[in-house]
Structures are given as structure tokens and as C-alpha cells.
Amino acid sequence: MARIIVVTSGKGGVGKTTTSASISTGLAKRGHKTVVIDFDVGLRNLDLIMNCERRVVYDFVNVIQGEATLNQALIRDKRVEDLYILPASQTREKEALTKDGVERVINELSETFEYIVCDSPAGIEHGALMALYYADEAIVVTNPEVSSVRDSDRILGILQSKSRRAEMGQEPVKEHLLLTRYNPARVQRGEMLSVADVEEILAIPLLGVIPESQVVLNASNRGVPVILEEDSDAGQAYDDAVARLLGEEREHRFMTAQKKGFFSRMFKGG
Amino acid sequence: MTETASTGTRHSFQLKSASLSLTTLELYYFDSHDFEATLREKISQAPGFFKDIPLIISLEKYEGLDSELDFFKIIGTCRRHHIHVMGVRGGNDDQRRLARGASLPLLPASSHRERAAEAEPIRAEPEAETAPSPAPARVISQPVRSGQQVHAPEGDVVVLGPVQAGAEILAGGNIHVYGPLRGRALAGIHGNEDARIFCQSLEAELVSIAGHYKISEDLQDNGWKSAVHIQLKDDLLVVSPLDKA
């Protein structure tokens, strides 16, 4: 039975697709057979970040509507073994994702995969609800600013009330907080919320903190999941997050700026 | 209970149990001059609060002489200040006799519970529909997230965790939040003015009791981000720190 993980946020542009690409790549790199599904029908991006956009023939909606088999639609990643991508349709409406259809596809994938990562679209509309409905775990991607935190809170409420686990009265969806675009220097200047602030407001366990970095942008543009940039702090931070997702204990890194900054905050009376 | 009940005619009234919160005057000794001076001082601190309030005289801490206890003077002085003495609580037999002499009803010294027990037989008799059983409290053991609403039309709501910004709690009774209250809390939504709101950290967007509300902007100066309880006093929402309650 596969473990189904939704990557969600409510707010757009916080790093869901970047996170889906890196988490799924990280899981596969550790030898777990993983598939990542793009639920963002009409605005598909995952294939770009995974650098497989030129190999898309059939998509998720084709499979749901019986126009293609899963094997025809799944794209095998060229860099990492055991990693597959199920791209979204660019030409359909999100309503093409029916509950029954999604369930059928997920059940079929469950037979062969260990992990199913669902890359949710932004918002709390149909596409986002479908992406989180079957989830066992949720990675809530949040930027350290108030509107993103508010939207994450909203999504956490929906996970508690509208997911399959909630509706069936099963054990609730396991929630993880992933803080992205974190810039410790700006936190010190009071321009961003701190890790502690966000943790305190959302009250869910912290999976990882991904530092704000040019490397993330460059990697996305080149179609490389940033976790494969093993020398970069963002890549290492994602690697830590994957390890923690699998139950490993790892200390949180990249959360403070240089020492100088720490003292200047002391003098400011921070 | 009533004759009309057995004959099936129209009821001119119904008896219901009610627990009201009343102000008690804890009397230490009585001297008509001192009494009026103290009363005047108290009233000047909160003029609106004392206007036409019902008052119970408690004798549980009375240390003066029984002979000095002049209920007629007490009643008269209070009435001059628009305060109505409703009864006497506690006291020894002699003191209670004096109170009865002044036509003041006597209330038992101890807790509300005993008083409720005495009232029980009265309201147990009439038809079942008039005997309201207390609605159970709704206990929420998860955070109440943005966009979620908890609605308990009858009883209390107890939240073991935060009530987030954009969340809403509606209760016919009290609201207890064992965590920060960041969203909206509306207690006593059916007009129960005795309902209260308790929280470990007041960061609310809005609090309301029986339709009297305050928004975040008006809450900043008193008890903000600290443990408080909020009650309705004389049509005003009063925020008080929990540790001094």
C-alpha cells in the first residue's frame, strides 16, 4: 500500500511544485519507488521543473477518462531510477478530475509504488480538494509572511474536515510544515516572520526550512529538482526534509544568519 | 404544581429555574456614616455600573455588633443611591431575624449549588418541556483553523488549542479557549448576558457577548496577548486578567 503525500499551501507561488519535485526525487534517490502527480490541470508546471515536458504524450486527465492507460501516461525520470511523473493536462478544466477517477488512478498506482506525491494547485477549489482528498500525509508549504501563514492555516482546516481520512473518521492526515524562501537576515531585520513565529501560529511539526536562494530559481529554469544540487544549502535542506519525512532525526539547519547578525539583534534590543 | 396545569387551561405563567449573577455587598461592620461614605466612593469609581443594580447583603464576614446592624438604614442609604437591596445572605440567627424584620428575603450562606438544589423541586414538577437540562459542552481538541466555524447553539464551547485568525466560535453559553484566541468568539448568541469568554491569550478579531461586541482595534489597550476573561457588565464588555479573577 502506497503512502500518499500531498504538497499543498493554499497560497500560490510559495514553492509547491519545487517542493513536489525535490521531495519525490529525494524519496526515489533513497530507493523508494515514487510517482509524482501534477494536479494543476490547465497550469501544468511540474513537467518543466522535472525537465520532461518534451516527453508528455498522455496526461492525468487522459487516464481518468480512459483515453490512455497509466503505463502510457507515466513518464520515467532520466536522472533518478524509481521516479515517475504523471503530468497534468494543459488543455482541460480542473473539473475533469472526478473523485472516482482520481481514486481509480491512485489505487492503481498504489499497487506498484511506495510513495505517491500529489502536487496541488493553489487555492481551495476543486483541484486542490482533489489533490488532498486521498492524502495520508500533507506537506504544507509556507513562506514566512502573514498571508501565506493564514492560507496554510485554512488548508490545514480543510485537511481536517474534507479529506477522506476526515470523512471516514480515520486517523487524521499527518501534517508537516515546510517553510520555504526563508531568509534569516531579513527575519532579523523584522521583514519576515521567524521559524518560531510560524510554528507557534500553525502549531504543526516542522519538517524543514528551505533557505531563499538563487540556486532554487536557476535549478527550476534548467529543469533540475533543486535537491540534486547537492552542494547548495537549499538542496541539502530538501535532503534533510526527505530524511525527516522517512523518520530520520536531523537537526534543523540554515535558520540563522552569520554571528554578526545575531549580535546586532542583541544590541537592537530585539 | 399549578391548578391550571391539571385542568388544562391557559397558563398565566411558568416557573423556570434561573441562576443570575448578582452583586454582593460583603459587610464587615455597620456605621451609617462610614457605610454611605464607602458606598459613595465605590459608585464614583463606576457610576454606570451601580445604577439600579440589585444587591445582596452578605453577613458571612460581619464582625460588628448585632445591635448596630440596622437594615432599614442600609436599605434607605442604598435606595438613595439607586441600589436595591434584594436579600441577605449568611449571618447568625439574630442577624437573620433582624433582616426578616426589615422584610428582606434570606438566602443560605453557602454555594450556588445548595441554592439550586432547593429550587429543584419547584421546577421538576411542571411538564417536561419546561425543565431544561443543561446542554453538554462541545469540546474541540484540535486547533480551530482559519475558515472553520464551531457552532454550539445551546451550551459552552471548550477549545483545547488555538482559535486561528479567520476562525469563528459561536456558543449559546460560554467560550473557553485553552490557547490563543485569534479569531472571532461570540458567546451568549441567544441573548445570555451572563455568558463569558475565557482565553489564554487575547488576540481576537472580534469578541461578542449577547450581541455586545468589540473588535480587535478596541481590544488592544487592555489584556491584549494575555490570559483574560471577558464578561458583560452594564451593557459593556469588560476584559479582566485571569490571574486576578
Side-chain angles (χ1 to χ4, degrees), chain A residues 62-124:
Chain A
N62 292 139
V63 178
I64 284 176
Q65 299 188 334
E67 297 156 2
T69 65
L70 254 182
N71 283 336
Q72 287 174 304
L74 283 175
I75 302 173
R76 196 170 155 265
D77 190 82
K78 281 187 171 167
R79 288 161 298 221
V80 183
E81 224 180 307
D82 291 329
L83 179 61
Y84 291 80
I85 298 118
L86 183 56
S89 167
Q90 185 70 343
T91 53
R92 310 292 182 100
E93 302 285 325
K94 286 193 165 50
E95 283 59 40
L97 301 176
T98 60
K99 213 179 238 185
D100 291 346
V102 173
E103 182 173 21
R104 236 182 319 114
V105 172
I106 284 184
N107 284 346
E108 199 177 332
L109 290 170
S110 290
E111 289 166 15
T112 42
F113 287 92
E114 267 184 85
Y115 286 94
I116 301 173
V117 177
C118 303
D119 181 21
S120 171
I124 51 172

Side-chain angles (χ1 to χ4, degrees), chain B residues 88-137:
Chain B
V88 168
R89 183 176 172 186
N92 60 34
D93 287 349
D94 287 341
Q95 292 162 353
R96 290 169 82 81
R97 200 172 298 125
L98 287 169
R100 210 177 291 124
S103 304
L104 287 173
L106 302 174
L107 300 167
S110 47
S111 69
H112 295 272
R113 191 159 306 166
E114 285 182 29
R115 228 155 72 203
E118 282 177 38
E120 201 68 34
I122 301 174
R123 66 148 206 198
E125 278 301 305
E127 310 88 315
E129 55 170 324
T130 64
S133 58

Side-chain angles (χ1 to χ4, degrees), chain B residues 12-85:
Chain B
S12 91
F13 64 85
Q14 205 179 54
L15 288 173
K16 284 189 168 183
S17 80
S19 69
L20 305 168
S21 72
L22 291 171
T23 305
T24 312
L25 187 152
E26 191 80 65
L27 194 64
Y28 302 134
Y29 70 99
F30 183 72
D31 171 280
S32 69
H33 181 262
D34 289 2
F35 184 85
E36 183 151 16
T38 311
L39 192 63
R40 218 186 281 274
E41 186 195 321
K42 293 282 176 206
I43 291 172
S44 71
Q45 287 166 4
F49 176 72
F50 290 100
K51 179 119 172 64
D52 290 323
I53 60 160
L55 190 74
I56 303 292
I57 308 287
S58 167
L59 297 174
E60 281 167 33
K61 304 222 170 108
Y62 186 76
E63 287 168 352
L65 296 169
D66 291 354
S67 57
E68 288 170 357
L69 197 54
D70 187 337
F71 284 109
F72 292 101
K73 271 192 180 156
I74 293 177
I75 295 168
T77 311
C78 286
R79 192 154 295 167
R80 274 206 302 284
H81 293 276
H82 306 284
I83 293 170
H84 309 279
V85 178

Side-chain angles (χ1 to χ4, degrees), chain A residues 150 153-154 156-157 160-161 175 200-204, chain B residues 142-143 145-148 162 164-166 180 182 205:
Chain A
R150 173 79 62 95
D153 191 56
R154 183 85 169 90
L156 285 165
Q160 284 166 16
S161 55
E175 300 154 338
E200 205 262 326
I201 297 173
L202 292 179
I204 59 170
Chain B
Q142 294 171 319
R145 303 280 185 187
S146 183
Q148 292 185 317
Q164 303 286 43
R182 302 187 173 111
E205 295 170 330

